[in-house]
Amino acid sequence: SEKFNGYQNVSIVYKNLKIALNDPTWIGALKNVKAIYAITDISNGKLYIGSACGNGGLFSRWSEYIYNLTGGNKEFEELVNKNGKDYISKNFKYSILEIFDTKTKQEYILERESYWKNVFETKKFGMNKN
């Protein structure tokens, strides 16, 4: 499996993320940060910008995507309903855009999430509904 080699180098496809989330170096690194992340649908280039600002940091958020594919995201649930369960595991790539100390306030992280949604116009062209 890929060893964790720095937050600035994380861009990992679904099947490798699934493996990485069982690796102690990845677990430790991802639990220690809150973050803004991008999910790329490599079949069409559409982006989704998300944030991890809860307890357990980015590890918790990305684990949700691995355990139930959609992480409770409505847009992703629609993709699975339309294209089948394999769609996400075949086409999604997860990348880190920005990291924060675990003490960072949620309001600030959500502000930064909005900033990145605007940068990439993901409400208009990507997979962000809000």
Side-chain angles (χ1 to χ4, degrees):
S1 74
E2 298 183 38
K3 281 278 175 258
F4 183 80
N5 69 339
Y7 299 105
Q8 73 282 10
N9 296 314
V10 174
S11 191
I12 187 169
V13 294
Y14 183 92
K15 71 175 171 49
N16 292 342
L17 181 61
K18 193 172 188 170
I19 296 163
L21 291 182
N22 289 302
D23 178 298
T25 61
W26 279 86
I27 294 168
L30 298 182
K31 273 186 175 172
N32 281 318
V33 294
K34 294 179 178 182
I36 308 297
Y37 58 88
I39 297 175
T40 309
D41 182 336
I42 58 175
S43 75
N44 59 24
K46 284 189 175 181
L47 291 178
Y48 172 83
I49 304 299
S51 62
C53 40
N55 290 337
L58 189 54
F59 176 77
S60 290
R61 188 65 189 113
W62 279 4
S63 293
E64 291 169 20
Y65 290 122
I66 295 305
Y67 295 123
N68 71 5
L69 283 179
T70 64
N73 178 300
K74 297 261 189 300
E75 178 95 355
F76 298 166
E77 284 167 12
E78 287 171 24
L79 281 175
V80 169
N81 291 338
K82 207 169 82 181
N83 304 301
K85 272 207 156 84
D86 286 348
Y87 187 84
I88 287 177
S89 55
K90 286 197 175 109
N91 294 302
F92 277 22
K93 187 172 76 171
Y94 304 77
S95 309
I96 296 174
L97 295 175
E98 194 172 3
I99 58 166
F100 309 92
D101 185 276
T102 53
K103 293 177 199 70
T104 306
K105 297 238 181 306
Q106 183 172 349
E107 299 78 42
Y108 179 68
I109 294 172
L110 295 176
E111 263 174 46
R112 297 301 297 159
E113 182 184 15
S114 289
Y115 167 81
W116 287 107
K117 286 176 184 176
N118 289 331
V119 166
F120 295 114
E121 296 287 351
T122 58
K123 291 180 197 175
K124 192 173 180 183
F125 301 110
M127 298 183 284
N128 286 102
K129 287 287 190 229
N130 54 33

